[in-house]
Amino acid sequence: MLKNEEKNLVLDISADKIFAHIRNMCAHGPRYIGSEADSKAIEYFKKNLSEYGAEVIEEEFEALAFEERKAILKISSPIEMEIPCKAVFFTKPTPPEGISGELVFVGSGSKEEFEKTNVEGKIVIVENSPESPKGALGLEIALAASKGAEAYVLAHFASPPYVLMAETGYFDRSKRFMRMEPKEIPAVIIGSLYWKKLYSLIEKGTVKGTLLIDAIRETRKTKNIRGIIPGKKYPEKRILLVAHRDTVSCLGSSDNTSGNAIILELARVFSKYRLDATIEIVSFGAGEVLGCVGSWTYVEKHKDELRDVVGVINLDAVGFGGHLRIVTEGSWIDAGPIKTDAKINRLLEEAAKDLNYVIKHTVCMLGLSDATPFLANNVPAAWLWKYDDPYWHTDLDTLENIDPNSLKVTAEIVGLAAKRLSEIT
């Protein structure tokens, strides 16, 4: 049952304002770490927080950045064909002339398939099936490199293909990337339509081609942006609403402009309806993909203050897909499952129920996004996600595929849950 103040709060949340934030933050292209687009998004975020009366704090740090310029696979024999690609995020670029060689298919890329296939000096192609989808490719690319392959191509089941990453999937941050021996090799992803054409050629005989990746991989500076709205009764207690700001090689309207837009709108609403506890809005730099560098940096910088954080709600990729879901636990290759906070999850469930909305649950096998560093430091945290977004990490993650009204639903659930959490601290 909603109280009058709760009704006023959720009614004030605007789908139009949330969508306007998405449109404005996406206006300058993909927000690669340290890019001009990221800088413009930072200024936009700060400007709005200031207008809402929040105290704005910038915290600069360095992180590994990857920026794709062009990726293409040119088939030279038995026919000439150009296949557009997406560079695996954080992969090594090729020399300007590219890497040439015979293309060889290695099935699903298992150790057994690599053992029985001669890949030395060749460009290997591995198939990604919807029955067993791949996420972190670092270990598999390293396996191909150890067998003497010159480059790695993932044939994705979707078209356009998802941008996947060269990370390993380890929780241990010292193992985020795998050292490749005898050398690091470049990697790309192709979509299903081109893979069908290419596979038909490989079935008939020898196929040769050249892989070209033009990309920047370097350390850059970025920022976490914090907006503080003091609480009325318990200003020393804080509730964090967080979202990573950077994107992979696409516009990222859902992943994760949607999360930033929602927390910006909630900053506006909470500046009018002040909560009992302090609300802190945080836009993390360097959240993609598994590294969560921005949130880890925040936790390490504010370690002595974490005892005052009564809850964290992370919003990541909630702009498109099926049901809104509470992620109840996450796993890594070397850790987990780690559970998200039961109390916050229950508040989110109750808020959805009282608003007559449906919310479901899921688990994640690729960690817990930016909730991870907080949970690892015993800070209560939750994560909302729409995991079945067909446009995730693709060129179709655009404004046209965002439903503004569903964003208001998510904002209402988070806003109501945050208000109730502030009253029971």
Side-chain angles (χ1 to χ4, degrees):
M1 191 73 168
L2 295 181
K3 300 174 184 176
N4 285 335
E5 189 174 349
E6 292 176 337
K7 290 178 183 177
N8 292 336
L9 187 150
V10 297
L11 284 172
D12 204 349
I13 294 170
S14 167
D16 188 56
K17 285 183 169 61
I18 296 171
F19 191 68
H21 289 320
I22 294 178
R23 183 172 59 249
N24 291 325
M25 289 187 71
C26 289
H28 305 287
R31 292 184 299 280
Y32 299 112
I33 293 169
S35 65
E36 181 180 357
D38 187 35
S39 296
K40 290 181 181 297
I42 287 171
E43 292 306 311
Y44 178 82
F45 206 89
K46 287 166 46 185
K47 175 177 176 289
N48 280 273
L49 286 175
S50 294
E51 289 176 357
Y52 302 150
E55 177 191 358
V56 179
I57 302 171
E58 302 176 54
E59 296 178 346
E60 189 174 72
F61 63 96
E62 291 186 341
L64 180 65
F66 183 83
E67 184 170 339
E68 177 183 332
R69 291 173 170 172
K70 181 181 180 181
I72 194 163
L73 177 60
K74 296 181 179 180
I75 304 303
S76 55
S77 174
I79 64 170
E80 291 188 355
M81 177 172 63
E82 289 195 355
I83 300 176
C85 309
K86 281 292 187 181
V88 171
F89 216 66
F90 296 118
T91 190
K92 174 186 179 180
T94 64
E97 68 275 13
I99 291 178
S100 300
E102 180 185 345
L103 279 67
V104 57
F105 180 45
V106 197
S108 64
S110 67
K111 290 182 179 179
E112 293 75 20
E113 287 167 309
F114 269 103
E115 287 293 340
K116 66 183 182 183
T117 308
N118 178 17
V119 303
E120 189 167 356
K122 300 176 183 178
I123 299 171
V124 302
I125 304 178
V126 172
E127 191 169 28
N128 189 20
S129 73
E131 292 78 23
S132 183
K134 301 175 187 291
L137 301 176
L139 294 176
E140 194 166 280
I141 299 169
L143 175 61
S146 72
K147 301 298 181 182
E150 291 293 321
Y152 171 102
V153 177
L154 182 72
H156 203 273
F157 55 80
S159 189
Y162 297 177
V163 175
L164 301 178
M165 48 281 193
E167 294 160 293
T168 60
Y170 280 107
F171 179 86
D172 182 347
R173 288 184 290 155
S174 69
K175 297 180 179 178
R176 182 185 178 195
F177 297 104
M178 176 63 67
R179 180 176 175 83
M180 298 186 195
E181 298 291 350
K183 63 182 180 182
E184 185 179 4
I185 62 173
V188 297
I189 307 154
I190 63 173
S192 59
L193 295 180
Y194 283 98
W195 168 230
K196 290 176 182 177
K197 296 177 184 178
L198 184 55
Y199 183 69
S200 67
L201 293 176
I202 292 174
E203 277 192 312
K204 295 173 185 176
T206 301
V207 177
K208 294 183 178 181
T210 300
L211 178 66
L212 174 65
I213 302 172
D214 181 7
I216 300 170
R217 186 176 62 171
E218 64 184 10
T219 298
R220 292 177 176 174
K221 291 181 179 179
T222 186
K223 295 177 180 179
N224 289 336
I225 304 300
R226 305 167 61 203
I228 313 295
I229 304 171
K232 296 183 298 184
K233 290 186 179 180
Y234 317 110
E236 74 283 359
K237 299 297 182 182
R238 288 183 293 149
I239 297 169
L240 273 58
L241 305 181
V242 307
H244 77 80
R245 185 183 60 252
D246 55 314
T247 68
V248 295
S249 310
C250 60
L251 200 58
S253 296
S254 176
D255 185 13
N256 186 30
T257 319
S258 63
N260 282 265
I262 287 171
I263 62 176
L264 258 185
E265 171 61 0
L266 288 174
R268 182 188 71 82
V269 171
F270 287 140
S271 69
K272 294 174 64 177
Y273 302 90
R274 298 288 278 271
L275 301 190
D276 289 348
T278 293
I279 285 289
E280 180 171 339
I281 306 295
V282 189
S283 176
F284 293 127
E288 291 283 9
V289 181
L290 299 179
C292 302
V293 178
S295 50
W296 276 110
T297 299
Y298 178 99
V299 165
E300 289 164 353
K301 182 178 180 64
H302 301 285
K303 207 169 187 65
D304 293 339
E305 305 162 36
L306 295 179
R307 62 182 177 276
D308 295 324
V309 178
V310 297
V312 179
I313 301 176
N314 174 48
L315 292 162
D316 194 352
V318 293
F320 191 84
H323 292 286
L324 180 66
R325 297 177 190 267
I326 298 168
V327 183
T328 55
E329 64 180 50
S331 297
W332 297 256
I333 291 175
D334 58 335
I338 294 177
K339 295 185 181 297
T340 51
D341 186 72
K343 183 175 77 172
I344 301 177
N345 290 346
R346 186 172 63 254
L347 286 170
L348 290 165
E349 292 164 359
E350 291 171 353
K353 182 179 179 181
D354 289 348
L355 292 164
N356 293 315
Y357 296 138
V358 173
I359 196 166
K360 295 196 172 183
H361 303 84
T362 191
V363 299
C364 182
M365 302 308 293
L366 288 172
L368 285 169
S369 178
D370 288 300
T372 302
F374 296 98
L375 292 164
N377 283 274
N378 300 310
V379 178
W383 172 22
L384 290 179
W385 181 33
K386 290 189 174 182
Y387 80 87
D388 47 359
D389 179 356
Y391 305 136
W392 176 81
H393 280 201
T394 76
D395 289 335
L396 295 178
D397 187 358
T398 59
L399 291 165
E400 290 74 18
N401 290 318
I402 296 292
D403 176 9
N405 294 326
S406 72
L407 296 172
K408 174 174 165 59
V409 169
T410 302
E412 288 181 8
I413 293 170
V414 174
L416 182 55
K419 175 173 172 54
R420 291 175 173 177
L421 178 59
S422 79
E423 294 166 353
I424 60 174
T425 55

